Amino acid sequence: MSSNYGKRAVKTPTRRKSPVPVLLLIVVLLVGTVAAGSRFGLLPLNLFHRNPSPAPAAEISAEPAEASAPVVVAEPEPEPLPGEGIIVCIDPGHGGKDPGCNTEERLEKDDVLKLALCMREKMEAQGITVVMTREDDTFIKLMDRCEIANKAHANYYISVHRNTAGGVAYGNEIWKSYNATEEASSLADSIMAGLNQVGIQRDRGVQEGSQDHNGDYAVLRATNMPSVLLEMGFIENKKDNKLFDKNMDAYSESITQAVLDTWQEFHGDPADSGDSSAEAAASAAN
Ligand SMILES: [Zn+2]
């Protein structure tokens, strides 16, 4: 037993294979496999090219795009209307029990409602959102008119009236607040320029305050946005009445254009502005 033991002790090194060749074989096999895989494009790693030439950019970007993105034919977006995002409060003066100034043939409350409804139509056709203080023969208190405009966060307030002076005066006036902002002044000037272009008997100017020089008209004082009051000719003057009736459409269009121009001047193109509510709020603070 002792000799066997001794033999075994001697033989052992030769029977045990050294682990080194086996390891070498494994490494060689692995390296060979990786090399072959890489060469034939089976493996993503490119271990054997120290300076792999980068694939052309077009090749990289084009392949996944073609594979993943289906061809979509973009529908042309409809052109936004120039007035989108603008809110205008139109206030036809008087109404109901309050006829305004009148003659035997006509009442101010009826004339201004007709013009105001025409203005609404023209403005809405341009994408402007219109809020009316009244759309029929209803009496509305002055402060309620202002509240309607303020609550709607209107960008502009346009009150529509006709004038009276006992038959001695004619032509158009526009009123603004003593504290009119630049924007309100610009709106007033722009509307007057438009009315002149259409044709009025006399430009009596853009004026501040009120006819009786007793501060601002209530609707100009209590509205939070740029506001103007239009006196669209004298109701007892035949030629003013003729122009008022004949030019109702054209006046409405020119007033609408003045709104768009003023907005463009102070706020840029409505179509470019994504957030009209922020501008409405900013305007309301003026
Ligand atoms: Zn009036």
Side-chain angles (χ1 to χ4, degrees):
M1 285 296 284
S2 67
S3 62
N4 276 350
Y5 184 75
K7 254 184 174 179
R8 273 176 71 189
V10 174
K11 274 186 178 175
T12 304
T14 58
R15 278 176 64 187
R16 251 199 215 153
K17 284 186 179 168
S18 162
V20 175
V22 178
L23 278 174
L24 264 174
L25 184 66
I26 291 168
V27 168
V28 167
L29 280 173
L30 267 175
V31 166
T33 308
V34 170
S38 173
R39 180 161 303 174
F40 294 110
L42 300 173
L43 291 170
L45 295 173
N46 200 349
L47 301 173
F48 301 91
H49 296 270
R50 284 200 175 171
N51 298 309
S53 56
E59 206 175 289
I60 292 170
S61 61
E63 259 188 48
E66 277 172 20
S68 61
V71 179
V72 177
V73 180
E75 295 250 339
E77 282 199 20
E79 278 287 309
L81 291 166
E84 274 176 27
I86 308 174
I87 305 170
V88 174
C89 180
I90 301 178
D91 170 40
H94 315 281
K97 67 182 182 186
D98 171 15
C101 57
N102 58 78
T103 64
E104 279 181 15
E105 296 98 49
R106 43 203 305 162
L107 301 176
E108 179 185 1
K109 65 174 184 177
D110 297 335
D111 276 4
V112 296
L113 180 59
K114 265 187 236 165
L115 177 61
L117 291 173
C118 189
M119 285 163 60
R120 174 170 74 175
E121 188 189 317
K122 305 297 180 192
M123 287 189 192
E124 285 180 343
Q126 294 299 319
I128 294 170
T129 300
V130 175
V131 178
M132 304 287 290
T133 56
R134 69 176 177 101
E135 31 193 332
D136 52 27
D137 187 17
T138 309
F139 175 76
I140 312 281
K141 288 180 191 166
L142 292 179
M143 284 307 112
D144 290 345
R145 294 169 192 259
C146 301
E147 201 179 327
I148 289 169
N150 293 342
K151 273 192 177 167
H153 298 290
N155 300 111
Y156 300 126
Y157 177 89
I158 304 176
S159 195
V160 188
H161 289 256
R162 297 213 62 204
N163 223 337
T164 184
V168 298
Y170 56 90
N172 290 46
E173 297 167 354
I174 297 181
W175 293 84
K176 63 180 182 181
S177 162
Y178 282 118
N179 303 311
T181 58
E182 258 187 71
E183 193 171 357
S185 297
S186 187
L187 178 64
D189 292 342
S190 188
I191 291 175
M192 188 55 104
L195 296 178
N196 272 295
Q197 222 166 11
V198 173
I200 51 179
Q201 202 178 177
R202 183 182 171 197
D203 177 349
R204 296 170 62 87
V206 172
Q207 304 184 40
E208 288 183 354
S210 57
Q211 266 172 348
D212 59 7
H213 306 293
N214 189 22
D216 286 334
Y217 283 114
V219 291
L220 300 183
R221 193 178 58 240
T223 42
N224 296 335
M225 65 292 303
S227 55
V228 293
L229 186 148
L230 315 182
E231 290 284 6
M232 298 296 291
F234 286 76
I235 204 162
E236 62 280 279
N237 185 276
K238 278 190 180 154
K239 194 168 178 194
D240 272 3
N241 287 341
K242 203 175 160 191
L243 288 167
F244 181 88
D245 294 337
K246 183 184 114 188
N247 291 326
M248 192 162 293
D249 257 34
Y251 288 153
S252 299
E253 273 167 9
S254 75
I255 293 165
T256 300
Q257 192 57 52
V259 164
L260 296 175
D261 291 346
T262 306
W263 183 265
Q264 172 84 38
E265 185 186 347
F266 287 85
H267 305 272
D269 194 340
D272 295 341
S273 143
D275 186 5
S276 63
S277 60
E279 282 171 355
S283 244
N286 288 336

